[in-house]
Amino acid sequence: MSWLHQRWAYWLISLLFLALAGCGFHLQTGASIPPSLQGMRVSGIGPSGGALAQVVHRELQKNGNIASSNGPLLLIDNAYVSQRIISISPSSGAALEFLDTLHAQFYVINQQKKVLLPAQSLLVENSFSYNSGNPLATNEQQIRVERLLMDQGARQILRRVLNSPAVRQPRD
């Protein structure tokens, strides 16, 4: 490979990294879990609590957390998804667009049931459009929207828990 080709490849790769950094892409570091939360377990209650807890648990594992029976407990309480029609066809009266909302509360306690992070509310919303020409696609859309809600909810919970000053401060 000639010097010119090497230089061209270097600039192309540099530009790619710059573009990825600008769009919010980050490599996983696994170093974001504070010592006070190492070994954190996750439990969910409510119609969608189990599914949301599983997604949060998976994200914690990706960051190097190994759940421990004596670790702190992240409780996701009263988790459910609601759906509301936000757009109706004037000609047919059929629903055209829906708004799905994930509701939950979460808090963190230690093994002695001492609150490490007080209860916080979670609200995540996503809309999707109905295609009357292909109702099966709408069922697939609904499944994708609910997965997206769970993913966004899990990321929001973890961001708020892991960045909370309450869990980052040393405990006496």
Side-chain angles (χ1 to χ4, degrees), residues 47-69:
S48 298
L52 184 55
Q54 285 177 351
V55 177
V56 171
H57 176 74
R58 239 185 348 260
E59 289 297 317
L60 279 168
Q61 283 182 321
K62 285 181 189 176
N63 283 310
N65 183 67
I66 298 171
S68 168
S69 61

Side-chain angles (χ1 to χ4, degrees), residues 81 100 102 124-126 145-153:
V81 175
D100 283 359
L102 170 62
V124 180
E125 297 180 324
N126 277 322
V145 167
E146 285 197 23
R147 276 192 200 132
L148 182 63
L149 279 173
M150 295 298 161
D151 289 345
Q152 289 175 338

